[in-house]
Amino acid sequence: MESRFKEAEFATWVGIIVNGLLALMKGVIGWLSGSRALIADAAHSASDVAGSIAVLAGLRTAKKPPDADHPYGHGKAENVATIIVAILLIVVGVEIAISSTKVFVGEMPSAPKGIALVAIIASIIIKEVLFQYKYRLAKKINSSALLAEAWHHRSDALSSIAAFIGVFGAMVGQHFNYPILVYLDPVAGLIVSLIVIKIGFSLAKESSSIMMEQVLDPEKTKPFIRTVSKIEGVKRIDELLARTHGHYIVVDIKVGVDPNLSVEEGHRISKRVKKALLANHSHIKRVFVHINPYQTEGDLNRQERIN
């Protein structure tokens, strides 16, 4: 568990440093070259830094052990961090859209200088490398916050591609005297904003579902049911509810056992259920077992006639 958080924190620090340098480089070159698309891209990278800081705070909170006030642990701190990243993406996307749209109501802009292309190409390569690194690590350690950060990098790479097309098209338009192509730079900025906003909404929707205690799809809980069904003493699984709690899963299960068993024997069965789920499914970290008296339909019908 400790190694999981160390890997995640290291990856987050890498993102903070690299994004900080990229934001500075793209901002300076965007201003010198006169590229609105590159300046928008720089703002996107700056939001990555803020998002990474939120993720780092979430990871450090999530690794705290359960306590009296948080018996289920602090795993959802990662989902809170994910929502913060999503909100940052949406806000930055809207700001980029407003900035890019204003160009169309003013004087015709001039095409950016060639140095803007160099900065954009470097950004595309670096951001895609960061995405691959964090995406693979997030899947390995099952971190929603790190996965959100990875997609933040991918959105930055995609926005840089849009910026490249816009800047290159504007330069070609100015060189060959096609004024309409000069507007490709702000159009690219607008496309960047839509990409950023869409990814932000997707991340917010997913994490909000987890925060609202949405249970896992029944298809995903079938392996849990198969595990419990094999345990000696379990006559029937009356109910199994599983929900994501940050990077791990919490399971609430009701099992039917022989009603003639002693309380101690029923307790031993519940312990076997808990140990089996924890041992066979690495993502499960908390299990709560409720023992019910098992009754067949015939038993229930007889009980109804007596009553």
Side-chain angles (χ1 to χ4, degrees):
M1 182 68 71
E2 186 62 30
S3 62
R4 172 192 184 273
F5 286 107
K6 283 184 178 179
E7 287 184 278
E9 286 186 10
F10 177 79
T12 304
W13 274 113
V14 169
I16 290 172
I17 294 169
V18 173
N19 280 318
L21 293 174
L22 276 176
L24 181 63
M25 177 192 73
K26 288 191 282 190
V28 172
I29 293 178
W31 179 70
L32 292 174
S33 64
S35 172
R36 290 183 176 274
L38 189 54
I39 291 174
D41 211 19
H44 192 181
S45 291
S47 75
D48 274 355
V49 176
S52 293
I53 292 172
V55 168
L56 188 62
L59 288 169
R60 289 184 173 179
T61 302
K63 71 179 180 181
K64 293 180 180 179
D67 53 36
D69 295 325
H70 306 88
Y72 291 96
H74 299 77
K76 284 191 178 177
E78 287 193 40
N79 301 111
V80 174
T82 303
I83 291 174
I84 292 173
V85 173
I87 292 172
L88 283 171
L89 279 169
I90 294 169
V91 170
V92 169
V94 171
E95 287 293 330
I96 293 171
I98 293 172
S99 175
S100 298
T101 304
K102 286 180 179 178
V103 177
F104 296 100
V105 296
E107 295 181 1
M108 178 175 289
S110 58
K113 296 180 176 63
I115 192 174
L117 291 178
V118 177
I120 293 171
I121 292 171
S123 176
I124 292 171
I125 295 171
I126 293 170
K127 298 301 290 189
E128 184 60 25
V129 169
L130 279 175
F131 167 77
Q132 293 294 338
Y133 165 51
K134 292 192 179 182
Y135 181 82
R136 294 169 192 269
L137 181 58
K139 288 295 185 181
K140 174 186 170 185
I141 65 177
N142 192 33
S143 171
S144 65
L146 202 60
L147 187 62
E149 205 180 4
W151 281 110
H152 204 161
H153 293 316
R154 169 55 67 83
S155 72
D156 212 354
L158 292 174
S159 68
S160 292
I161 292 173
F164 178 86
I165 294 171
V167 171
F168 184 74
M171 291 171 63
V172 170
Q174 184 163 291
H175 182 77
F176 290 102
N177 198 27
Y178 289 108
I180 191 66
L181 291 181
V182 176
Y183 282 102
L184 282 177
D185 182 50
V187 166
L190 195 57
I191 293 172
V192 169
S193 70
L194 296 177
I195 292 172
V196 173
I197 291 170
K198 182 180 182 300
I199 292 176
F201 272 113
S202 297
L203 291 173
K205 180 181 177 182
E206 183 178 346
S207 287
S208 296
S209 296
I210 294 173
M211 295 295 291
M212 295 296 290
E213 300 285 336
Q214 181 177 355
V215 296
L216 296 182
D217 185 276
E219 282 296 317
K220 294 183 179 180
T221 61
K222 283 184 178 179
F224 308 158
I225 293 173
R226 286 195 292 268
T227 296
V228 177
S229 297
K230 298 175 183 177
I231 298 172
E232 183 181 356
V234 174
K235 298 289 187 179
R236 181 176 61 203
I237 298 173
D238 295 325
E239 185 179 50
L240 189 150
L241 299 174
R243 63 190 186 278
T244 303
H245 199 86
H247 61 281
Y248 54 85
I249 293 171
V250 176
V251 174
D252 292 282
I253 183 169
K254 296 178 181 179
V255 296
V257 302
D258 187 339
N260 297 313
L261 293 178
S262 66
V263 173
E264 185 177 353
E265 289 170 326
H267 179 65
R268 278 200 292 266
I269 292 173
S270 72
K271 287 181 71 175
R272 287 201 292 268
V273 170
K274 180 176 181 178
K275 286 181 178 179
L277 286 171
L278 292 173
N280 290 283
H281 306 279
S282 60
H283 292 336
I284 297 178
K285 298 300 179 186
R286 295 283 182 277
V287 178
F288 299 90
V289 185
H290 180 79
I291 299 296
N292 288 335
Y294 172 71
Q295 292 178 308
T296 64
E297 289 186 10
D299 294 331
L300 291 171
N301 290 334
R302 282 195 295 273
Q303 186 66 37
E304 287 177 1
R305 285 198 297 271
I306 293 171
N307 293 336

